Amino acid sequence: MHIIPYIISGSMVLFGINADSHARLPDSETQVSHRVNILVEGLTRPNPFRVTMNTRGAAHGHYKVCQASGSDRENSDLPAIERPPGETAARVSENAADARIHEERGEYRGLRWPDWIVIAGYIAFMLGIGLFYLHRQKNTEDYLLGGRKIHPVASGISLFATMISTISYLAYPGEVIRHGPTVLLLYIASLPVIYLIMGYGLIPLLMRLPVTSAYEILEKPLGTGVRLFGSAIFVLTRLAWMALLIFLAAKSMVVMVNGKTELIPIIITVVGVVTLIYSSMGGLRAVVVTDVAQFFILAAGAMLTMLFVTVAMGGPLTWFPTSWAPNWDSFVVFSIDPHVRVTVVGSMVFTIVWWVCTAGADQMAIQRYLSTRDVRAARRAFFTNNCADITITVLLGLVGFALLGFFRGNPHLVGDGKSITGDTDFLFPHYIANFLPVGVSGLVVAGLLSAAMSSLSSGINSTATVVVSDFIDRFRKRTDSEIHHVKIARYISIAAGVIVILTGTCMEKVPGNIMEVTSKTNGLFVAPLFSLFFMALFVPFATPFGAVFGSIYGWCCGGFFAFWDVITGQPGLSFLWILPVSLACSILFGMLFSMVPSRGKSWKVISVWSLALLVPPVTTYVILSGKILLW
């Protein structure tokens, strides 16, 4: 669920659908000369008519390009490159160069059978881990929490692998190419602060009780209703997130292999079923072990990409940037203008708030702490998570630099109708599928699959944990054996996986820009969910009524901020302040509503207060839904 890559790419559409004005440079004699020089002079096929634009201009270049192209073409092909009536010499030169380059480049390779063998081997390895742990769960605690004996390093790596996804893996390089390294550098700079807040502030509080579900922590101070409210938010949000995740992963795979959209449901089903099998068979131990393996596959994929770009370019100094690109974000420390996309202060505040809210309220994160022995081990697990996060962020940032240098040096390899700055999210998968050696491409694709599968397996296991602990255990007979209880947990995992697969296959029917709309709506629940924990742990006078309605009102405030452009028709506000505004409103309204005399009151009084306070959020939901659908 790593939301940073979702948000930092703004309103990006997956892999180049949003090609912009950069796709074709304006025609001029100088630009065409440069284009012909790069595209034609650098061809690898031996040819006696190497073309170079010189002082005699584009007309001479056109003549030479036609001559070079015609030297190894059939006569029937020559009309395609001859100068049509009314065409300028500059345009004909460019078209002729494009024709020759298209012939030289040929059809893109895509994945070959050795790549598919590597991918199949990876899937078999994942299934083998699940089978290995199938009969090693003696009770529910073993299945859901790994017996609370998971090594903190493995737990920390698993936490990071859980939070990153395929889209995150692909979005980091695209962000660096299009907007520069500003956001990634500020993200890394925020991690030490996040570690101090979590390691010495929240984790000791979360580890005080021997709970299984994170939302058991809410029950003692705020009651059963708030616990079930938090659990329901988590389950619904997580199911929708997993469905989106698996859909976008399948879509990225189809784009990368130049496949048809009809393959998306098939890929969703295969990835979902494989993940469901090993996660439901092996429980949390299998999930953690596969997460660790998947982390190293992710890192290997990034390093191999850099290695082969370096070899192709003749050294790292040929692709590492030496100046700030004109299309990169300017470095703004702080701005009161809410339309400024990225500032130093805003980016760090956003990152800190997101990590604290996620690591302090999400079952997928808290489950990793609970699976360790004690507070010290949990703190070490979170430190490991931060180290893994820094490692992958740096690697993927360097991949972005490498891809930028590679395609700047070889612009003819970008593809027809694509541009370097206009299709940044397309470049990484395009390079993986067509320019890495056969077999290595399969390994990197396995890394992309592992990013999706690690998040999906953790989501399935965490959802099963919450459903079993917060709902099933309230109604089951205590005489049930532990083996039977484990079976129930496994059945819940299977049910959750099936729901995700079925929902994922329907995601393509959602209208509009799925990436932009869903990242905003799904992310709106992060801060309101954490506000329940904040009220339970830090507000002595908090009431169940105040905590629940504070969370609801925080969601409303975040929604208005996120969809300001849709609601008002004005330019959108910076994404950096959506989470801080939502969290601040959730806490402030929670404390305000906690002053409402609700404790000990009859259900009629509570109902009147509830109906009165529900009018604004219901109105907000109706307005948002209508505006988004019209948009």
mmCIF file of all heavy atoms in Angstrom, residues 481-515:
data_model
loop_
_atom_site.group_PDB
_atom_site.id
_atom_site.type_symbol
_atom_site.label_atom_id
_atom_site.label_comp_id
_atom_site.label_asym_id
_atom_site.label_seq_id
_atom_site.Cartn_x
_atom_site.Cartn_y
_atom_site.Cartn_z
ATOM 1 N N SER A 481 -11.795 -26.923 18.799
ATOM 2 C CA SER A 481 -10.366 -27.213 18.924
ATOM 3 C C SER A 481 -9.565 -26.172 18.155
ATOM 4 O O SER A 481 -10.075 -25.474 17.276
ATOM 5 C CB SER A 481 -10.071 -28.604 18.353
ATOM 6 O OG SER A 481 -10.306 -28.625 16.950
ATOM 7 N N GLU A 482 -8.270 -26.062 18.527
ATOM 8 C CA GLU A 482 -7.404 -25.100 17.851
ATOM 9 C C GLU A 482 -7.227 -25.454 16.378
ATOM 10 O O GLU A 482 -7.113 -24.576 15.530
ATOM 11 C CB GLU A 482 -6.047 -25.036 18.556
ATOM 12 C CG GLU A 482 -6.049 -24.212 19.831
ATOM 13 C CD GLU A 482 -6.367 -22.757 19.580
ATOM 14 O OE1 GLU A 482 -6.033 -22.238 18.493
ATOM 15 O OE2 GLU A 482 -6.981 -22.125 20.453
ATOM 16 N N ILE A 483 -7.202 -26.738 16.080
ATOM 17 C CA ILE A 483 -7.066 -27.155 14.682
ATOM 18 C C ILE A 483 -8.277 -26.672 13.881
ATOM 19 O O ILE A 483 -8.142 -26.172 12.749
ATOM 20 C CB ILE A 483 -6.929 -28.685 14.580
ATOM 21 C CG1 ILE A 483 -5.655 -29.150 15.279
ATOM 22 C CG2 ILE A 483 -6.927 -29.108 13.115
ATOM 23 C CD1 ILE A 483 -4.384 -28.586 14.681
ATOM 24 N N HIS A 484 -9.467 -26.795 14.491
ATOM 25 C CA HIS A 484 -10.670 -26.322 13.816
ATOM 26 C C HIS A 484 -10.631 -24.800 13.655
ATOM 27 O O HIS A 484 -11.066 -24.250 12.630
ATOM 28 C CB HIS A 484 -11.915 -26.736 14.611
ATOM 29 C CG HIS A 484 -13.203 -26.314 13.967
ATOM 30 N ND1 HIS A 484 -13.651 -26.849 12.786
ATOM 31 C CD2 HIS A 484 -14.129 -25.384 14.350
ATOM 32 C CE1 HIS A 484 -14.809 -26.293 12.458
ATOM 33 N NE2 HIS A 484 -15.117 -25.407 13.399
ATOM 34 N N HIS A 485 -10.092 -24.120 14.661
ATOM 35 C CA HIS A 485 -9.983 -22.665 14.602
ATOM 36 C C HIS A 485 -9.038 -22.237 13.479
ATOM 37 O O HIS A 485 -9.283 -21.241 12.783
ATOM 38 C CB HIS A 485 -9.484 -22.142 15.950
ATOM 39 C CG HIS A 485 -9.789 -20.701 16.175
ATOM 40 N ND1 HIS A 485 -9.149 -19.940 17.125
ATOM 41 C CD2 HIS A 485 -10.658 -19.840 15.560
ATOM 42 C CE1 HIS A 485 -9.612 -18.706 17.096
ATOM 43 N NE2 HIS A 485 -10.529 -18.622 16.161
ATOM 44 N N VAL A 486 -7.959 -22.968 13.308
ATOM 45 C CA VAL A 486 -7.029 -22.673 12.210
ATOM 46 C C VAL A 486 -7.723 -22.861 10.868
ATOM 47 O O VAL A 486 -7.533 -22.064 9.934
ATOM 48 C CB VAL A 486 -5.779 -23.560 12.313
ATOM 49 C CG1 VAL A 486 -4.918 -23.420 11.062
ATOM 50 C CG2 VAL A 486 -4.958 -23.188 13.540
ATOM 51 N N LYS A 487 -8.549 -23.902 10.767
ATOM 52 C CA LYS A 487 -9.286 -24.140 9.526
ATOM 53 C C LYS A 487 -10.223 -22.979 9.220
ATOM 54 O O LYS A 487 -10.368 -22.564 8.063
ATOM 55 C CB LYS A 487 -10.071 -25.442 9.628
ATOM 56 C CG LYS A 487 -9.208 -26.698 9.573
ATOM 57 C CD LYS A 487 -10.073 -27.951 9.608
ATOM 58 C CE LYS A 487 -9.214 -29.212 9.530
ATOM 59 N NZ LYS A 487 -10.046 -30.451 9.569
ATOM 60 N N ILE A 488 -10.864 -22.451 10.269
ATOM 61 C CA ILE A 488 -11.743 -21.302 10.064
ATOM 62 C C ILE A 488 -10.951 -20.112 9.519
ATOM 63 O O ILE A 488 -11.376 -19.440 8.568
ATOM 64 C CB ILE A 488 -12.445 -20.921 11.385
ATOM 65 C CG1 ILE A 488 -13.430 -22.026 11.793
ATOM 66 C CG2 ILE A 488 -13.175 -19.596 11.245
ATOM 67 C CD1 ILE A 488 -14.082 -21.784 13.127
ATOM 68 N N ALA A 489 -9.777 -19.863 10.122
ATOM 69 C CA ALA A 489 -8.926 -18.772 9.652
ATOM 70 C C ALA A 489 -8.510 -18.985 8.198
ATOM 71 O O ALA A 489 -8.479 -18.038 7.402
ATOM 72 C CB ALA A 489 -7.694 -18.646 10.543
ATOM 73 N N ARG A 490 -8.222 -20.240 7.846
ATOM 74 C CA ARG A 490 -7.835 -20.540 6.464
ATOM 75 C C ARG A 490 -9.012 -20.321 5.515
ATOM 76 O O ARG A 490 -8.842 -19.801 4.408
ATOM 77 C CB ARG A 490 -7.316 -21.981 6.389
ATOM 78 C CG ARG A 490 -6.740 -22.344 5.041
ATOM 79 C CD ARG A 490 -6.018 -23.685 5.095
ATOM 80 N NE ARG A 490 -4.724 -23.563 5.755
ATOM 81 C CZ ARG A 490 -4.340 -24.312 6.788
ATOM 82 N NH1 ARG A 490 -5.145 -25.217 7.300
ATOM 83 N NH2 ARG A 490 -3.146 -24.138 7.313
ATOM 84 N N TYR A 491 -10.206 -20.697 5.940
ATOM 85 C CA TYR A 491 -11.386 -20.490 5.093
ATOM 86 C C TYR A 491 -11.651 -18.994 4.882
ATOM 87 O O TYR A 491 -12.027 -18.576 3.772
ATOM 88 C CB TYR A 491 -12.620 -21.143 5.737
ATOM 89 C CG TYR A 491 -12.541 -22.650 5.814
ATOM 90 C CD1 TYR A 491 -13.233 -23.341 6.812
ATOM 91 C CD2 TYR A 491 -11.800 -23.376 4.895
ATOM 92 C CE1 TYR A 491 -13.166 -24.723 6.900
ATOM 93 C CE2 TYR A 491 -11.721 -24.762 4.978
ATOM 94 C CZ TYR A 491 -12.400 -25.435 5.988
ATOM 95 O OH TYR A 491 -12.328 -26.802 6.072
ATOM 96 N N ILE A 492 -11.455 -18.207 5.944
ATOM 97 C CA ILE A 492 -11.634 -16.760 5.814
ATOM 98 C C ILE A 492 -10.609 -16.183 4.838
ATOM 99 O O ILE A 492 -10.926 -15.303 4.019
ATOM 100 C CB ILE A 492 -11.518 -16.068 7.186
ATOM 101 C CG1 ILE A 492 -12.634 -16.534 8.112
ATOM 102 C CG2 ILE A 492 -11.563 -14.551 7.024
ATOM 103 C CD1 ILE A 492 -14.022 -16.217 7.628
ATOM 104 N N SER A 493 -9.382 -16.674 4.885
ATOM 105 C CA SER A 493 -8.348 -16.230 3.945
ATOM 106 C C SER A 493 -8.765 -16.532 2.510
ATOM 107 O O SER A 493 -8.624 -15.680 1.613
ATOM 108 C CB SER A 493 -7.016 -16.915 4.257
ATOM 109 O OG SER A 493 -6.534 -16.568 5.530
ATOM 110 N N ILE A 494 -9.276 -17.731 2.295
ATOM 111 C CA ILE A 494 -9.709 -18.118 0.951
ATOM 112 C C ILE A 494 -10.856 -17.227 0.484
ATOM 113 O O ILE A 494 -10.875 -16.757 -0.664
ATOM 114 C CB ILE A 494 -10.116 -19.599 0.930
ATOM 115 C CG1 ILE A 494 -8.889 -20.490 1.201
ATOM 116 C CG2 ILE A 494 -10.766 -19.966 -0.400
ATOM 117 C CD1 ILE A 494 -9.225 -21.958 1.384
ATOM 118 N N ALA A 495 -11.821 -16.986 1.385
ATOM 119 C CA ALA A 495 -12.963 -16.142 1.024
ATOM 120 C C ALA A 495 -12.505 -14.727 0.667
ATOM 121 O O ALA A 495 -12.973 -14.137 -0.319
ATOM 122 C CB ALA A 495 -13.966 -16.099 2.177
ATOM 123 N N ALA A 496 -11.579 -14.185 1.472
ATOM 124 C CA ALA A 496 -11.067 -12.844 1.183
ATOM 125 C C ALA A 496 -10.360 -12.815 -0.165
ATOM 126 O O ALA A 496 -10.535 -11.873 -0.964
ATOM 127 C CB ALA A 496 -10.115 -12.398 2.287
ATOM 128 N N GLY A 497 -9.559 -13.844 -0.456
ATOM 129 C CA GLY A 497 -8.862 -13.902 -1.729
ATOM 130 C C GLY A 497 -9.810 -13.991 -2.912
ATOM 131 O O GLY A 497 -9.600 -13.337 -3.943
ATOM 132 N N VAL A 498 -10.863 -14.772 -2.777
ATOM 133 C CA VAL A 498 -11.840 -14.907 -3.859
ATOM 134 C C VAL A 498 -12.546 -13.577 -4.108
ATOM 135 O O VAL A 498 -12.751 -13.167 -5.266
ATOM 136 C CB VAL A 498 -12.867 -16.018 -3.521
ATOM 137 C CG1 VAL A 498 -14.017 -16.010 -4.522
ATOM 138 C CG2 VAL A 498 -12.191 -17.377 -3.508
ATOM 139 N N ILE A 499 -12.915 -12.877 -3.032
ATOM 140 C CA ILE A 499 -13.555 -11.564 -3.184
ATOM 141 C C ILE A 499 -12.634 -10.594 -3.911
ATOM 142 O O ILE A 499 -13.060 -9.847 -4.802
ATOM 143 C CB ILE A 499 -13.952 -11.003 -1.801
ATOM 144 C CG1 ILE A 499 -15.079 -11.843 -1.187
ATOM 145 C CG2 ILE A 499 -14.374 -9.535 -1.910
ATOM 146 C CD1 ILE A 499 -15.403 -11.461 0.239
ATOM 147 N N VAL A 500 -11.356 -10.615 -3.548
ATOM 148 C CA VAL A 500 -10.393 -9.715 -4.188
ATOM 149 C C VAL A 500 -10.260 -10.037 -5.672
ATOM 150 O O VAL A 500 -10.248 -9.129 -6.518
ATOM 151 C CB VAL A 500 -9.024 -9.821 -3.487
ATOM 152 C CG1 VAL A 500 -7.949 -9.123 -4.312
ATOM 153 C CG2 VAL A 500 -9.094 -9.217 -2.093
ATOM 154 N N ILE A 501 -10.170 -11.308 -6.017
ATOM 155 C CA ILE A 501 -10.025 -11.704 -7.422
ATOM 156 C C ILE A 501 -11.252 -11.274 -8.228
ATOM 157 O O ILE A 501 -11.129 -10.692 -9.318
ATOM 158 C CB ILE A 501 -9.805 -13.224 -7.535
ATOM 159 C CG1 ILE A 501 -8.448 -13.601 -6.928
ATOM 160 C CG2 ILE A 501 -9.867 -13.668 -8.991
ATOM 161 C CD1 ILE A 501 -8.235 -15.094 -6.809
ATOM 162 N N LEU A 502 -12.440 -11.547 -7.699
ATOM 163 C CA LEU A 502 -13.668 -11.191 -8.420
ATOM 164 C C LEU A 502 -13.816 -9.679 -8.552
ATOM 165 O O LEU A 502 -14.187 -9.167 -9.611
ATOM 166 C CB LEU A 502 -14.882 -11.777 -7.696
ATOM 167 C CG LEU A 502 -14.979 -13.308 -7.681
ATOM 168 C CD1 LEU A 502 -16.195 -13.753 -6.872
ATOM 169 C CD2 LEU A 502 -15.056 -13.858 -9.104
ATOM 170 N N THR A 503 -13.502 -8.952 -7.480
ATOM 171 C CA THR A 503 -13.596 -7.495 -7.531
ATOM 172 C C THR A 503 -12.547 -6.916 -8.476
ATOM 173 O O THR A 503 -12.812 -5.963 -9.209
ATOM 174 C CB THR A 503 -13.415 -6.894 -6.128
ATOM 175 O OG1 THR A 503 -14.326 -7.522 -5.217
ATOM 176 C CG2 THR A 503 -13.678 -5.400 -6.140
ATOM 177 N N GLY A 504 -11.342 -7.503 -8.471
ATOM 178 C CA GLY A 504 -10.280 -7.020 -9.351
ATOM 179 C C GLY A 504 -10.634 -7.136 -10.818
ATOM 180 O O GLY A 504 -10.302 -6.263 -11.626
ATOM 181 N N THR A 505 -11.345 -8.213 -11.186
ATOM 182 C CA THR A 505 -11.732 -8.380 -12.586
ATOM 183 C C THR A 505 -12.788 -7.371 -13.015
ATOM 184 O O THR A 505 -12.988 -7.161 -14.214
ATOM 185 C CB THR A 505 -12.270 -9.802 -12.822
ATOM 186 O OG1 THR A 505 -13.379 -10.050 -11.931
ATOM 187 C CG2 THR A 505 -11.200 -10.848 -12.570
ATOM 188 N N CYS A 506 -13.469 -6.740 -12.058
ATOM 189 C CA CYS A 506 -14.492 -5.742 -12.371
ATOM 190 C C CYS A 506 -13.957 -4.320 -12.331
ATOM 191 O O CYS A 506 -14.672 -3.377 -12.668
ATOM 192 C CB CYS A 506 -15.665 -5.863 -11.393
ATOM 193 S SG CYS A 506 -16.504 -7.463 -11.431
ATOM 194 N N MET A 507 -12.715 -4.124 -11.874
ATOM 195 C CA MET A 507 -12.171 -2.779 -11.694
ATOM 196 C C MET A 507 -12.097 -1.995 -13.006
ATOM 197 O O MET A 507 -12.190 -0.771 -13.005
ATOM 198 C CB MET A 507 -10.775 -2.855 -11.069
ATOM 199 C CG MET A 507 -10.771 -2.934 -9.564
ATOM 200 S SD MET A 507 -11.252 -1.362 -8.832
ATOM 201 C CE MET A 507 -11.223 -1.809 -7.097
ATOM 202 N N GLU A 508 -11.941 -2.697 -14.111
ATOM 203 C CA GLU A 508 -11.802 -1.998 -15.386
ATOM 204 C C GLU A 508 -13.094 -1.293 -15.783
ATOM 205 O O GLU A 508 -13.086 -0.386 -16.616
ATOM 206 C CB GLU A 508 -11.379 -2.982 -16.487
ATOM 207 C CG GLU A 508 -10.828 -2.294 -17.720
ATOM 208 C CD GLU A 508 -10.117 -3.255 -18.639
ATOM 209 O OE1 GLU A 508 -10.326 -4.469 -18.509
ATOM 210 O OE2 GLU A 508 -9.337 -2.792 -19.487
ATOM 211 N N LYS A 509 -14.213 -1.688 -15.182
ATOM 212 C CA LYS A 509 -15.494 -1.072 -15.501
ATOM 213 C C LYS A 509 -15.708 0.247 -14.763
ATOM 214 O O LYS A 509 -16.687 0.944 -15.007
ATOM 215 C CB LYS A 509 -16.633 -2.040 -15.165
ATOM 216 C CG LYS A 509 -16.566 -3.340 -15.971
ATOM 217 C CD LYS A 509 -17.686 -4.281 -15.599
ATOM 218 C CE LYS A 509 -17.588 -5.586 -16.383
ATOM 219 N NZ LYS A 509 -18.664 -6.544 -15.996
ATOM 220 N N VAL A 510 -14.809 0.577 -13.825
ATOM 221 C CA VAL A 510 -14.926 1.831 -13.097
ATOM 222 C C VAL A 510 -14.604 2.976 -14.043
ATOM 223 O O VAL A 510 -13.562 2.965 -14.699
ATOM 224 C CB VAL A 510 -13.971 1.863 -11.883
ATOM 225 C CG1 VAL A 510 -14.069 3.208 -11.169
ATOM 226 C CG2 VAL A 510 -14.321 0.723 -10.942
ATOM 227 N N PRO A 511 -15.489 3.994 -14.163
ATOM 228 C CA PRO A 511 -15.236 5.087 -15.109
ATOM 229 C C PRO A 511 -14.171 6.041 -14.609
ATOM 230 O O PRO A 511 -13.935 6.160 -13.409
ATOM 231 C CB PRO A 511 -16.606 5.788 -15.187
ATOM 232 C CG PRO A 511 -17.242 5.525 -13.860
ATOM 233 C CD PRO A 511 -16.768 4.148 -13.452
ATOM 234 N N GLY A 512 -13.537 6.733 -15.558
ATOM 235 C CA GLY A 512 -12.585 7.784 -15.194
ATOM 236 C C GLY A 512 -11.180 7.249 -15.001
ATOM 237 O O GLY A 512 -10.856 6.107 -15.300
ATOM 238 N N ASN A 513 -10.337 8.128 -14.485
ATOM 239 C CA ASN A 513 -8.934 7.828 -14.238
ATOM 240 C C ASN A 513 -8.818 7.033 -12.937
ATOM 241 O O ASN A 513 -8.829 7.585 -11.846
ATOM 242 C CB ASN A 513 -8.155 9.141 -14.131
ATOM 243 C CG ASN A 513 -6.674 8.920 -13.976
ATOM 244 O OD1 ASN A 513 -6.233 7.866 -13.515
ATOM 245 N ND2 ASN A 513 -5.903 9.925 -14.340
ATOM 246 N N ILE A 514 -8.743 5.717 -13.043
ATOM 247 C CA ILE A 514 -8.777 4.852 -11.862
ATOM 248 C C ILE A 514 -7.615 5.154 -10.931
ATOM 249 O O ILE A 514 -7.780 5.203 -9.706
ATOM 250 C CB ILE A 514 -8.747 3.373 -12.290
ATOM 251 C CG1 ILE A 514 -10.003 3.055 -13.085
ATOM 252 C CG2 ILE A 514 -8.657 2.471 -11.074
ATOM 253 C CD1 ILE A 514 -10.048 1.648 -13.609
ATOM 254 N N MET A 515 -6.436 5.390 -11.498
ATOM 255 C CA MET A 515 -5.264 5.637 -10.667
ATOM 256 C C MET A 515 -5.464 6.857 -9.786
ATOM 257 O O MET A 515 -5.260 6.814 -8.575
ATOM 258 C CB MET A 515 -4.029 5.827 -11.552
ATOM 259 C CG MET A 515 -2.769 6.194 -10.795
ATOM 260 S SD MET A 515 -2.106 4.819 -9.875
ATOM 261 C CE MET A 515 -1.282 3.941 -11.195
#
